[in-house]
Amino acid sequence: MNWRKLRIFLVTVLVLCVIPATRYYQIDKPLLRFLKSSHHVDPLSLHLSGEFVENNLGTEQDPDGSVTVRMIAQQYLFVPHCILVPAGVPVHLRITSADAVHSLTFNGTEYAVKVLPGTISVAQLQFPRAGDYKTVCREFCGAGHYAMRSELRVVPRDQFPVLRPEERGNCAAQ
Ligand code: CUA
């Protein structure tokens, strides 16, 4: 192999490496999907299938007495708009975003859950006392960011199990 051929070979290799490097944000997605498949969701089909369809959102009682809350963050609201949980029990939060990056926080608590499109964020929460908390987005997510807030209602522990399933999911109607 002469020098000219070697140079062409090296330049070709370099170019072939540079193209994927500059497109990293495109090629890493299937890889991430593969690595954490259990936490991946397609933000474009949340309402069509999977655990984030509308009638599966909100609070669900688990067999051990804890609850699971499923939510979607989207520009510029949290769905359901008002969620209800019992006081003093573990709350398993599962939330994903339909568009931008958001951050779910509960006023008066230290909890902050970063929410990204394509991924399910999981957090373990617990609220010791009954009361109303404002839930506020604390990640700048666009023009309506400062209006992106909703509500969490914590009810006494013994009051929660007597509620009908449809009352648990959406306390805005109460
Ligand atoms: Cu959502 Cu800021």
Side-chain angles (χ1 to χ4, degrees):
M1 194 187 280
N2 64 31
W3 284 113
R4 212 177 83 88
K5 276 187 182 156
L6 182 64
R7 217 162 64 199
I8 291 171
F9 174 73
L10 287 176
V11 167
T12 308
V13 168
L14 193 68
V15 167
L16 287 177
C17 290
V18 162
I19 291 171
T22 58
R23 289 287 176 272
Y24 178 73
Y25 61 95
Q26 288 176 334
I27 60 169
D28 72 343
K29 239 185 169 175
L31 183 66
L32 283 178
R33 231 174 257 193
F34 175 74
L35 290 175
K36 24 183 212 176
S37 54
S38 67
H39 283 242
H40 179 265
V41 285
D42 181 359
L44 295 178
S45 63
L46 290 179
H47 59 295
L48 297 176
S49 63
E51 70 170 287
F52 292 96
V53 294
E54 193 176 356
N55 62 12
N56 204 36
L57 297 177
T59 309
E60 187 186 352
Q61 179 102 55
D62 296 329
D64 65 354
S66 62
V67 296
T68 297
V69 174
R70 289 186 182 83
M71 295 176 77
I72 294 175
Q74 62 187 72
Q75 290 162 325
Y76 296 99
L77 48 95
F78 294 104
V79 185
H81 190 60
C82 179
I83 51 172
L84 201 109
V85 299
V89 309
V91 175
H92 314 292
L93 176 69
R94 296 174 66 78
I95 183 169
T96 188
S97 168
D99 39 51
V101 178
H102 305 274
S103 176
L104 171 62
T105 65
F106 302 91
N107 273 2
T109 76
E110 297 288 301
Y111 296 133
V113 183
K114 195 136 179 157
V115 191
L116 302 96
T119 302
I120 303 171
S121 298
V122 177
Q124 309 303 324
L125 317 172
Q126 191 155 337
F127 300 90
R129 279 177 306 279
D132 286 350
Y133 297 80
K134 286 272 172 253
T135 60
V136 179
C137 178
R138 294 216 186 276
E139 176 86 27
F140 185 78
C141 54
H145 160 69
Y146 295 102
M148 184 167 171
R149 48 194 61 213
S150 56
E151 231 177 296
L152 168 77
R153 182 163 300 161
V154 182
V155 297
R157 189 176 182 160
D158 52 350
Q159 199 181 313
F160 187 81
V162 300
L163 293 171
R164 293 194 309 273
E166 63 268 27
E167 293 176 309
R168 293 175 190 160
N170 189 352
C171 51
Q174 290 187 339

